[in-house]
């Protein structure tokens, strides 16, 4: 019997973090799989940080990122370039992840080539076409062309069933982000002393990058932070600023040189995981951080109005607070002042997986027909 050719495609930081454990698991079974990796490099520096950490050397690197790229250019380039990769590598199955442009365009390209697609992190939904934009439609699309659906939670399984996806090809696996997080915190201990965190201050970790928060919302977030540090002399805010220029411009304009606000470059995953562990409160609009922080027992205030990850909200560790300045201030202040409320939110819970999601995905792939 010949080996099953699995082509794993990813392009951005979060996809790389969440696909790395799958690639490493496939590599453990080299007698079963030909393990081929293609990166679109929708992100460049932030992707390379992850490839280095997990020691993954892509077989194909499309090197597509352009400064301040737009959806049309990136989508068409991924669609076309993947055709060449399929012609050269002739995979039996293509794995994509989540809801990025890379995932949507690579899955469309595989569909045109009539190659079965496996969608990792399938079934997440807000059921709002424009929120998050364009991710909601990207994941609906990837789900609809995929053959194998690797859903992280019961809710995502239910969403797929509601979308009329063939039940026999839905697999509840847990989220591979927990595999990545556990691998990283167990194998990499990080000394964060170079960040000069003041032990006498409470650290608030902030990340923000969502397209629908560009413009007024991101400015509101920054103004809220400015007021919070002025009011609370016992906190400091540390913000690894995403490389997207639509984020960097307003953030540096409003928060550069503000006392007890540290704007730093995006951190590698291992130090970032350590920083999450050190933080008192996490403020974020990130999907991945919403999944990781509850596993570390950190209260998360989400700078969005809705989420496709309702599980930790239901458990009470994650709260949606939107991007209204006064509402952000009110919610952070409450967590700073009200110990009971804080303790309720900091329960370590982990609805997203047990660290074995990649193994479950690879077990399914071992049995596909080629
Ligand atoms: C993308 C994804 C989003 C995901 C996010 C994770 C889409 C439509 N968006 O958004 O779903 O949550 O990644 O971070 O797929 N840049 C760099 N270096 C990097 C990365 C980005 O300079 O390593 C800059 C470039 O100018 C680039 C810009 O950021 O053009 C935007 O990158 P892009 O991937 O288009 O959008 P993100 O906002 O990062
Ligand atoms: N992350 C990181 N360094 C940082 C900020 C975030 O490694 O400076 C990690 C984080 O732990 C999570 C992932 O990046 O695993 C989330 O990526 P992002 O927020 O860019 O995208 P999203 O998850 O919203 O799609």
């Amino acid at each position: 019997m010949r080996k099953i050719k699995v082509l794993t495609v990813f392009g951005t930081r979060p996809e790389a973090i969440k696909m790395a454990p799958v690639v490493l698991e496939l590599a453990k079974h080299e007698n079963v799989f030909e393990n081929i990796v293609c990166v679109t490099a929708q992100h460049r520096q932030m992707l390379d940080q992850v490839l280095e950490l997990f020691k993954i050397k892509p077989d194909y690197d499309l090197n597509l990122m352009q400064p301040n790229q737009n959806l049309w250019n990136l989508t068409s380039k991924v669609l076309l370039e993947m055709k060449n990769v399929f012609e050269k590598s002739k995979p039996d199955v293509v794995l994509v992840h989540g809801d990025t442009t890379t995932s949507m365009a690579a899955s469309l390209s595989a569909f045109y080539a009539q190659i079965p697609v496996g969608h990792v992190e399938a079934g997440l939904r807000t059921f709002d076409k424009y929120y998050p934009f364009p991710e909601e439609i990207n994941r609906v699309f990837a789900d609809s062309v995929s053959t194998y659906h690797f859903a992280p939670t019961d809710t995502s399984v239910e969403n797929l069933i509601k979308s009329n996806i063939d039940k026999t090809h839905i697999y509840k696996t847990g989220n591979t982000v927990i595999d990545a997080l556990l691998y990283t915190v167990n194998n990499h201990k990080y000394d964060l002393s170079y960040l000069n965190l003041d032990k006498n201050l409470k650290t608030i970790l902030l990340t923000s990058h969502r397209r629908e928060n560009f413009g007024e919302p991101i400015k509101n977030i920054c103004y809220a932070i400015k007021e919070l540090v002025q009011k609370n002399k016992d906190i400091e805010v540390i913000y690894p600023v995403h490389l997207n220029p639509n984020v960097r411009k307003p953030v540096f304009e409003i928060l550069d040189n503000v006392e007890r606000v540290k704007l730093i470059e995006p951190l590698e995953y291992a130090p970032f995981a350590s920083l999450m562990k050190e933080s008192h409160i996490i403020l974020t609009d990130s999907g991945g951080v919403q999944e990781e922080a509850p596993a570390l027992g950190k209260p998360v205030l989400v700078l969005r109005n809705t989420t496709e990850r309702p599980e930790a909200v239901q458990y009470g560790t994650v709260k949606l607070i939107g991007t209204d300045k006064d509402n952000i201030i009110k919610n952070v202040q409450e967590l700073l002042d009200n110990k009971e409320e804080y303790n309720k939110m900091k329960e370590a819970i982990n609805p997203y997986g047990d660290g074995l999601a990649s193994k479950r995905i690879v077990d399914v792939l071992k049995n596909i027909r080629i």
Side-chain angles (χ1 to χ4, degrees), residues 11-15 41-49 64-71 74-75 98-104 132-135 138 209-211 214 242-248 266 285-288:
T12 63
R13 168 176 66 190
E15 292 168 87
Q42 172 176 340
H43 284 174
R44 187 70 273 174
Q45 303 89 323
M46 286 160 56
L47 170 76
D48 291 344
Q49 287 181 332
L64 294 183
M65 193 194 86
Q66 294 296 318
N68 212 2
Q69 62 207 357
N70 66 53
L71 295 172
L74 183 63
T75 302
D99 54 20
T100 65
T101 297
T102 289
S103 323
M104 185 274 292
F133 173 84
E135 287 83 4
N138 285 348
H209 71 83
R210 296 237 80 87
R211 217 164 266 260
F214 292 172
H242 195 284
L243 294 180
N244 193 325
N246 298 293
V247 175
R248 293 179 84 79
D285 64 8
S286 160

Side-chain angles (χ1 to χ4, degrees), residues 10 14-28 35 50 54 56 175-184 269 355-359 361-362:
F10 50 91
E15 292 168 87
I17 290 170
K18 291 169 166 185
M19 284 302 228
V22 179
V23 172
L24 299 185
E25 186 64 33
L26 285 165
K28 287 187 195 161
N35 187 7
V50 185
F54 289 95
I56 294 174
N175 198 309
T176 57
V177 78
I178 302 297
D179 307 17
L181 183 68
L182 297 181
Y183 171 90
T184 305
Y269 185 52
L356 297 173
S358 316
K359 190 178 173 311
I361 292 167
V362 169

